[in-house]
Amino acid sequence: MTDYRNMTLREEREARFEEYEEKQRLQEMLSKAAPYLESRLNPLAAAYRGGEILGAAAANYHNSQSFEDFMMNYMEPSVQEAWRESRRLTPIQIPDDNKHRYVSCVGAQGGRLAAAETFAGGVWKEIKDLNRKLRNPAKYKGYMNIYEDTIKDLKNDYCGVKDGYTHREPGYCNYLLNIKY
């Protein structure tokens, strides 16, 4: 709190106005982060809803920016690079295992925080995918195939994070791509 005793009336008014503006900014940030916080504090609800809290309800905070793009502004640089790489690789024909390992490897090269953010992002993506797949199990030949694929993807994410965290040399993860140009 600000000590107003030694201020002139004008200084006090300006200080109180600055405090009011700061409080408004914090309330706005909290209202925007509420879906994200809800999903972190209530993981069963987030898993059940499959990330819809973070996806549809939280999309378009800043103009047409998606929630993922918005959150990327606050992530480690290597995680931001992994996000760009995942988008770049989406249309390219590479085995899914390699994509998961490569993106996780690139993201985890920034250190402990980057590794944690990368793995959390992989888990979040799998929750979203699981929810989408469970809505149409016939397309994926039953529930067991869906769960097996989810577990396989999470294992590949973990292996990629472990690989990237232990080998931080630039370009190390490229061997996972198997792309012939």
Side-chain angles (χ1 to χ4, degrees):
M1 277 313 278
T2 307
D3 183 14
Y4 301 111
R5 290 179 287 188
N6 297 328
M7 294 184 175
T8 65
L9 186 58
R10 182 176 184 190
E11 291 171 336
E12 180 182 346
R13 197 174 13 196
E14 288 174 356
R16 287 185 189 271
F17 184 72
E18 286 175 11
E19 285 178 2
Y20 171 77
E21 283 184 326
E22 182 64 24
K23 185 178 177 184
Q24 292 295 99
R25 280 193 297 271
L26 287 173
Q27 286 177 343
E28 183 180 334
M29 285 173 48
L30 283 175
S31 69
K32 289 179 179 179
Y36 177 77
L37 294 174
E38 178 186 342
S39 71
R40 294 297 180 239
L41 297 175
N42 192 352
L44 291 176
Y48 177 73
R49 290 185 249 177
E52 289 177 4
I53 296 168
L54 301 178
N60 300 323
Y61 274 155
H62 295 301
N63 302 328
S64 63
Q65 200 175 32
S66 72
F67 184 73
E68 291 93 349
D69 291 333
F70 173 73
M71 288 306 295
M72 276 301 124
N73 295 327
Y74 302 99
M75 298 292 170
E76 292 289 305
S78 66
V79 178
Q80 294 175 1
E81 177 63 25
W83 177 252
R84 286 189 292 275
E85 285 295 296
S86 73
R87 289 197 161 174
R88 181 181 72 86
L89 294 175
T90 299
I92 299 174
Q93 293 295 322
I94 301 172
D96 191 47
D97 298 355
N98 287 25
K99 283 183 186 179
H100 279 271
R101 284 185 181 219
Y102 174 75
V103 170
S104 296
C105 182
V106 169
Q109 286 187 317
R112 279 187 186 168
L113 180 60
E117 289 175 355
T118 300
F119 191 67
V123 170
W124 178 75
K125 181 198 171 290
E126 287 309 314
I127 289 172
K128 280 180 57 176
D129 287 351
L130 184 62
N131 184 50
R132 179 180 45 82
K133 291 174 182 177
L134 288 175
R135 291 180 183 168
N136 190 3
K139 181 179 177 184
Y140 300 97
K141 298 176 184 160
Y143 291 106
M144 285 309 296
N145 286 339
I146 294 171
Y147 293 125
E148 287 171 0
D149 183 58
T150 299
I151 290 169
K152 177 183 60 94
D153 288 346
L154 288 171
K155 284 181 181 177
N156 286 321
D157 287 339
Y158 173 76
C159 290
V161 166
K162 187 173 72 170
D163 216 15
Y165 182 70
T166 55
H167 300 94
R168 299 192 189 167
E169 306 86 40
Y172 172 81
C173 304
N174 290 342
Y175 80 93
L176 293 164
L177 291 179
N178 291 342
I179 299 176
K180 295 178 176 71
Y181 292 101

